[in-house]
Amino acid sequence: MRRALAALSGLLAGYAALAFAELVSAFVRPEAGPVVAVGSAAIDRTPTPVKDWAIRRFGTDDKLVLQLGILAALAVLAILLGLLAKAHRRTGAAGVLVFGVVGAAAALSRPDSTGATDALPSVAGALTGGLLLYWLAGRPAVTGHLDAAPARRPGGDRPVAADGTVGGPATAREPGWDRRGFLVSATAAAAASTGAGALGRSLNGSRGRDAVAARDQVILPAPGSPATPVPGRAGLRIPGVGPFLTPTEDFYRVDTALVVPRIDATTWRLRLHGKGVTRPVSLSFDDLLRRELIERDITLTCVSNEVGGPYVGNARWIGVRLADLLAECGVTPPSKGGPADQLVARSVDGMTIGSPVDDVMDGRDALLAVGMNGRPLPFEHGFPVRMVVPGLYGYVSACKWIQDIELTTFDAYDPYWVKRDWARRAPVKTQSRIDTPKPFARPRAGTVMVAGVAWAQHRGVRGVEVRVDDGPWQRARLAAEDTVDTWRQWSFPWEATKGGHTLTVRATDGTGQVQTALRTRTVPDGASGRHSVVVTVD
Ligand SMILES: Nc1nc2c(c(=O)[nH]1)N[C@H]1C(S)=C(S)[C@@H](COP(=O)(O)O)O[C@H]1N2
Ligand SMILES: [Mo]
């Protein structure tokens, strides 16, 4: 029993620490809270193969899994500290402080840390937790004092001991542990912590309210250069193949942000500066909206997408042409003698993403996007402004929550993902995917519609072929092309015969290059190889 109470003390101390840290974080920054800080620091330090696996295994839930993992680990450690404090009161309490130091160090190590105050939530939380553990662990010492006045059961006539034993004196009780005093303290501590945590939560929640209100106020001006209408036959409407334009709520999300930044567009600014920038600028959101806006359909792909994977989506983006802005600031691409070959975009959450200046300025529709599918960007996808560059994987082009653009060189600076084993330059590889039938489907013999998508952004898709088992490559029917920057749907009516079959797809891009069969992993510059689906025809 004493051990259980000791373990409970540890848990309570951990709970109090996190709750008070949450409260203090509301006065600092929600990102400085210990769980978010440790989680973010862990993300930054996770070896690339593990991170890549987590993205593939858990998708957008990777962050939830990480935070639940941290909480579970903390719970175990808190129990151990509680047990330790039973024997060594001071050591146990000091152990809680060690976690405060770890949390504080994590918060200060973050690239978006705004200064020493980021340590406060962890330090305050740990002090609270440490003191509580010290206090609870000391409770046994006061046993004799309560024994003198056993509680009376309401309406009853027999004394009730603190541990609920009815009848005689405290003989049945474990010696040295004042259980009632403990329970009173513990309950009070739990209540205070819950109150503090709830208050912190609600204060943190209201922080983003201005940003939400500012986003609700945004009215996107009509684009001066609208997107060409999507050809009616770009979407095949085949069951199992998604719509040609991916609905925003279905669009994949990949980023390192444990707390989605909620930026107030009315105070947001974008700075553009660096090597060869003769006229640096600082722009407001309204400055951007006053420029000519262009609207383009662009398919975005993540470098962590496995062959056949889901991290690809096609949206209608509205934004400012980045090349024009760069030219106004005096930027010349390196191919024309400019001194900077890398454009580094920096987000409010400390992400850095580097793109080749030559690609951004070669005439393609590289955007500072303000809208997605006709609406202001959702916070999850980078509100108020993000980059989108056709033909480059997201990690080398698509910085969300952007706040700074610096012109530099590839020699001088490695951005976030490049420091973590990913390639400096990463054009999207030609890929194709079978969306129907699904793996291990059991279609009936006869005509089975095989269909999916293919993409080779900025080169375009010229052809798609399907192979059944080891048979010849057969031409699939291609849906109409929207632009070279978008994916293309395809279909192949297959006369399916009974038995097990393997369907394989390959695309040919606009330059005539056939998608390679060579299988590579996602690291360092994107998976290659062909998607196959195994089915059994009944
Ligand atoms: N600030 C920030 N921007 C980011 C990232 C990130 O982690 N942080 N991830 C990049 C990656 S790897 C991809 S694939 C795209 C994904 O954009 P989406 O989440 O809007 O689909 O965002 C890019 N921009
Ligand atoms: Mo990505």
Side-chain angles (χ1 to χ4, degrees), residues 143 146-148 150 161-163 165 167-175:
T143 304
L146 258 172
D147 282 349
D163 61 355
T165 332
T171 45
R173 201 176 323 139
E174 292 167 64

Side-chain angles (χ1 to χ4, degrees), residues 111-136:
D112 60 339
S113 170
T114 48
T117 51
D118 281 354
L120 285 178
S122 293
V123 170
L127 281 174
T128 313
L131 282 173
L132 178 62
L133 186 54
Y134 188 74
W135 165 254
L136 289 176

Side-chain angles (χ1 to χ4, degrees), residues 251-257 300-303 317 347 349 351 353 372 380-382 386 393-395 398-401 417:
F251 207 94
Y252 80 92
R253 179 185 156 203
V254 171
D255 57 58
T256 59
L300 186 63
T301 315
C302 183
V303 71
W317 307 94
S347 74
D349 65 330
M351 173 54 61
I353 286 186
M372 179 178 188
E380 288 77 9
H381 293 289
R386 74 174 303 167
Y393 285 118
Y395 88 102
C399 188
K400 305 193 275 191
W401 313 296
W417 299 101

